C-alpha cells in the first residue's frame, strides 16, 4: 500500500510532505474565507442600500461614474 500523502515515502519518514499539504490547505482556506467575507459585506451593502443609508456607509466602495457632458 502506498503512502497516504504524496511525497511521503515509507522508507523516508518526515513531516515535510505533510507540512506542504497543511500549508496548501491553509492557503486555500484563507482564500475561501476572504471570498466568503467579501460576499457577506456585499450582502450588508445591499441591505444598507435597501434601507436608504448614505453611500459613505458602504463597506465596499464603488467609484462614481465619470461625469458626462452635463457635468463638465
Amino acid at each position: 500500500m502506498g503512502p497516504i500523502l504524496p511525497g511521503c515515502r515509507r522508507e523516508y519518514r518526515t513531516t515535510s510532505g505533510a507540512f506542504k499539504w497543511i500549508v496548501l490547505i491553509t492557503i486555500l482556506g484563507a482564500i475561501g474565507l476572504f471570498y466568503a467575507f467579501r460576499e457577506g459585506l456585499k450582502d450588508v451593502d445591499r441591505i444598507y442600500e435597501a434601507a436608504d443609508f448614505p453611500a459613505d456607509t458602504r463597506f465596499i466602495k464603488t467609484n462614481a461614474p465619470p461625469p458626462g457632458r452635463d457635468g463638465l
Side-chain angles (χ1 to χ4, degrees):
M1 185 171 148
I4 294 174
L5 295 172
C8 293
R9 294 175 296 204
R10 189 175 291 180
E11 63 272 2
Y12 184 64
R13 299 181 65 95
T14 181
T15 57
S16 65
F19 180 73
K20 292 174 190 174
W21 283 102
I22 291 169
V23 169
L24 177 68
I25 291 169
T26 304
I27 290 171
L28 292 176
I31 291 170
L33 285 174
F34 171 77
Y35 283 115
F37 189 71
R38 186 167 169 84
E39 288 299 317
L41 288 178
K42 286 180 183 178
D43 289 343
V44 169
D45 283 345
R46 283 188 218 114
I47 293 170
Y48 279 12
E49 186 177 350
D52 293 329
F53 277 89
D56 62 346
T57 60
R58 304 247 167 81
F59 289 103
I60 300 175
K61 306 293 185 206
T62 56
N63 294 334
R69 295 251 179 228
D70 298 326
L72 292 176

